[in-house]
Amino acid sequence: MGLFERYLSFWVTLCLFIGISLGAISPETFQAVASIKYANVNLVVAVLIWVMIYPMMIQVDFFSIKDVGKRPKGLLLTLSINWLVKPFTMAALGWFFFRIVFADFVDPQTATEFIAGMILLGVAPCTAMVFVWSHLTKGDANYTLVQVSVNDLIMIFAFAPIAGFLLGVTDITVPWDTLLLSVLLYVVIPLTAGIITRYLLDTPTNHARLNHFVHKLKPLSIVGLLATVVILFGLQAGAILAQPMAIAFIAIPLLIQTYGIFAVSYGAAKALNLPHNIAAPACMIGTSNFFELAVAAAISLFGLQSGAALATVVGVLVEVPVMLTLVAFANRTRHWFDKKCVDSTFSDRSVQKKLI
């Protein structure tokens, strides 16, 4: 591992403080960055995430994806956590903390909006950053792609009904432009670019050119992650500094939800005897959130300055540092999973070992 990868948590923490500082010193710069968006998707952040994802998409062996169906347990685990557990635990935690624990510190209307924002986060499983977490845990790139794709397909049909049920309303308007643009930017385009790159550089008998290219891209991928952290925290510097207690109140149940969902899914993966390269990404998908969709839905339902919008933004701020701690934990506990279970069905191992 290189210097940046070995001390990634330190660099992310440093970029967190740099982002807040720059956002406080020059808010107009970040306001200009925030204005570069379409369908509530910030295009600057989208480009940086694309830079992170593209090297990982090169690892996808498109022709071996069909073999994922031979081991459905990892996919079933992801779907169960995302759609049968996570939305409801998020709603329960939001209600418990803002109706009971923090009831004396937050007025009822604001509490309702905070809970709504948390629910919207819980109903939106991650699309983009999962590829980063999968890569950092040496996950099976092909299997991760299928898990994300199936989740996105289900989200098209399940987001509005589940969110409407938990919010107690029936007129949920799904921000289709945000959902579809995000899938296009974070899955379709980088996957297509990765397949083309692999086709042009790789041969069955010689992987040297492809390996060399991926190796050259690795530093760019890390820079993309760090730049994304700076921008996200810079964009929200004003809210963080103006409402530190509100941020803390929202962050506490979100942290419990994130670590709790990971613990449940990781334990289930171990019980199901999943290989680590499938178990780790499956748990990351179940744990992280599709924050662009949640933010867009919160703004459309409750307004830009609402507590719901703030809660979804706090979800963005919490996710990257927390997910890095879970990546580190997953990597340190690789030995918990039976090495004999590591499945070569889904990957060309001779290529994957060199690429990762």
Side-chain angles (χ1 to χ4, degrees):
M1 296 178 69
L3 178 65
F4 279 105
E5 292 167 300
R6 187 174 302 171
Y7 300 104
L8 188 56
S9 297
F10 168 78
W11 300 119
V12 167
T13 303
L14 179 63
C15 288
L16 181 155
F17 287 107
I18 290 174
I20 294 175
S21 300
L22 291 177
I25 294 171
S26 182
E28 62 278 359
T29 301
F30 287 90
Q31 288 171 5
V33 172
S35 67
I36 307 173
K37 63 180 181 179
Y38 179 78
N40 289 304
V41 175
N42 186 277
L43 298 182
V44 176
V45 174
V47 169
L48 291 173
I49 292 178
W50 195 93
V51 168
M52 283 186 276
I53 291 174
Y54 169 58
M56 301 154 205
M57 288 300 195
I58 297 174
Q59 299 177 37
V60 174
D61 182 359
F62 191 74
F63 296 103
S64 70
I65 288 178
K66 64 181 184 300
D67 295 325
V68 170
K70 296 177 180 178
R71 278 288 190 87
K73 289 182 180 179
L75 184 58
L76 292 175
L77 172 63
T78 301
L79 297 180
S80 299
I81 292 295
N82 277 335
W83 301 109
L84 300 179
V85 178
K86 184 178 175 183
F88 304 96
T89 56
M90 185 73 92
L93 283 169
W95 180 88
F96 175 73
F97 275 93
F98 289 105
R99 293 301 185 208
I100 299 177
V101 179
F102 299 142
D104 294 334
F105 305 97
V106 181
D107 66 85
Q109 178 59 36
T110 301
T112 298
E113 293 183 356
F114 285 168
I115 295 170
M118 293 177 60
I119 289 172
L120 291 172
L121 279 171
V123 186
C126 190
T127 290
M129 293 297 287
V130 166
F131 295 107
V132 179
W133 314 137
S134 176
H135 175 73
L136 292 175
T137 56
K138 294 181 170 59
D140 187 302
N142 302 329
Y143 208 100
T144 301
L145 174 65
V146 172
Q147 288 173 310
V148 170
S149 299
V150 173
N151 264 307
D152 287 344
L153 182 62
I154 292 175
M155 187 157 41
I156 292 174
F157 301 99
F159 180 85
I162 295 178
F165 171 74
L166 292 174
L167 291 172
V169 296
T170 57
D171 57 346
I172 293 288
T173 301
V174 178
W176 294 107
D177 50 357
T178 301
L179 177 57
L180 296 177
L181 178 61
S182 297
V183 172
L184 178 68
L185 287 175
Y186 301 142
V187 179
V188 177
I189 292 178
L191 175 62
T192 302
I195 292 172
I196 293 172
T197 303
R198 190 182 182 101
Y199 175 78
L200 293 175
L201 297 180
D202 195 32
T203 65
T205 58
N206 186 1
H207 310 303
R209 285 198 304 167
L210 185 62
N211 293 340
H212 178 73
F213 184 67
V214 172
H215 180 73
K216 290 293 185 182
L217 288 179
K218 273 191 174 182
L220 187 63
S221 181
I222 298 297
V223 169
L225 172 60
L226 298 180
T228 300
V229 173
V230 171
I231 291 177
L232 290 178
F233 280 84
L235 288 172
Q236 303 303 327
I240 294 171
L241 297 175
Q243 305 182 69
M245 290 305 298
I247 302 297
F249 286 157
I250 298 169
I252 290 172
L254 288 180
L255 287 171
I256 294 173
Q257 163 81 359
T258 302
Y259 285 117
I261 288 294
F262 181 84
V264 170
S265 55
Y266 208 58
K270 181 67 172 66
L272 290 170
N273 292 319
L274 293 179
H276 189 270
N277 64 344
I278 292 175
C283 298
M284 299 297 169
I285 295 172
T287 302
S288 53
N289 303 305
F290 187 174
F291 55 80
E292 294 93 347
L293 178 61
V295 171
I299 292 172
S300 66
L301 287 171
F302 299 97
L304 182 62
Q305 303 301 322
S306 66
L310 179 61
T312 57
V313 167
V314 176
V316 180
L317 303 181
V318 167
E319 179 160 319
V320 174
V322 169
M323 292 304 296
L324 282 171
T325 66
L326 294 177
V327 165
F329 177 81
N331 285 334
R332 282 196 293 267
T333 57
R334 192 180 303 272
H335 63 280
W336 288 6
F337 295 78
D338 187 356
K339 293 181 181 180
K340 295 180 181 179
C341 289
V342 177
D343 192 349
S344 61
T345 303
F346 312 119
S347 306
D348 180 351
R349 295 179 67 181
S350 63
V351 177
Q352 192 180 30
K353 286 182 179 179
K354 294 178 181 178
L355 289 178
I356 294 178

